Amino acid sequence: MSRVRLQGLTRRFGSVTAVDDVWLDVADGELLVLLGPSGCGKSTLLRMIAGLLPPTAGRVLLDDTDVTTVPPQRRDVAMVFQSYALYPHLSVAGNIGFPLRARRRSRADIRRKVTEVAGALDLSALLDRKPRELSGGQRQRVALGRALVRDPGAFLMDEPLSNLDARLRATTRAEIAELHRALGATIVYVTHDQVEAMTMATRVAVLDQGRVEQAGTPAEVYDEPASVFVATFLGAPAMNIVPATVVATDGGLTVRATDLDLPLGIDATTPGRDVLLGVRPEHLTLTGEPGIRAVVTAVENLGGDEVAHCRAGTHTLAVRGPRPLRLAAGDRVGLTARPEHLHLFDPGTGGRLVWRTADIATPERNFA
Ligand SMILES: Nc1ncnc2c1ncn2[C@@H]1O[C@H](COP(=O)(O)OP(=O)(O)OP(=O)(O)O)[C@@H](O)[C@H]1O
Ligand SMILES: [Mg+2]
């Protein structure tokens, strides 16, 4: 398997910069998820790695080879698309074996390889069927098989599960994760689905308007989002964001807004500074001694959990907890959050101000 390196990769379409100076290093055997909203440049980035689209600037390296100008069929990568793009007149075996026939491999070779891949994907009983005789999940597995037979250095997958229903998506997601482990495959996987990103990725790169906002393990990007964009893109309901001010008190620094006063527990920022305070809904807890005084406006049932929408000052906060929260619209509640669950962002740039994780935080990163 290969290491994939993107160095300053940029693509413009007229006045639109679809991908903007992307630097990413995908280690051998890594499953990197490119995550971001529609139009942020995910497919454009993947197509440049595949060689289907020339970059405006920057380089693509596979292992130590610069492949920026190498045509797609001579790059050692296999791409799996959202639409399975199977050949309707060929059987499952014919579809899986197609890339090997195109490479003029012997019939015995092709048969052996197709049998092996079909076994791994649980398609052995379906080899003689035509694509129209398969379910959506089975078709997507055939498309995966067609990529697998080539033994490529890296797999590129563009929303391969988005045509499947919720249940099939969950099982196929687990199958791809299992294949990744079994093969030690290098995979670059595009999705706008945060659940896929959180469950499958060894590392996630969150994209916004063609730029990488943050790259890290799923836990890193969830626990210490680098910006308001990342903070609110990951998590459901989205992280609460409230304009606030850092204030010095006898007990140390506290974050304050109307009806809100939460001790910061860390002196990494200056008193008097305006910030955007972020708190995840699951980190707000009901308490007798309020840091936040709020009124419940609505309660949503999510099955296992409930979300209470509350108003504090002029702001709306979502609170998530196990059902039943025993709250109703009109209830007055006190809420609090632990200092380590408070995120501070710059109101101008949206960038994160305080890093708490020991191995990431440095004195320079925590501004004074
Ligand atoms: N061939 C093209 N010509 C002009 N603009 C393009 C072209 N391809 C993509 N774009 C633009 O580049 C931007 C990024 O598109 P891209 O398809 O990479 O987004 P995406 O993140 O894959 O979105 P989605 O989640 O909807 O698939 C968009 O603004 C899109 O309109
Ligand atoms: Mg796309």
Side-chain angles (χ1 to χ4, degrees), residues 115-152:
T115 306
E116 178 193 318
V117 165
L121 291 170
D122 206 12
L123 290 169
S124 305
L126 308 175
L127 284 172
D128 295 327
R129 292 215 199 156
K130 295 282 168 56
R132 65 170 181 278
E133 298 165 321
L134 301 174
S135 72
Q138 290 165 340
R139 284 180 210 169
Q140 192 52 278
R141 293 214 297 274
V142 175
L144 275 173
R146 199 171 48 187
L148 278 171
V149 280
R150 293 179 42 195
D151 284 328

Side-chain angles (χ1 to χ4, degrees), residues 13 16 18 37-44 159 192:
F13 295 105
V16 176
S38 185
C40 72
K42 304 178 297 290
S43 296
T44 304
E159 313 229 19
H192 60 265

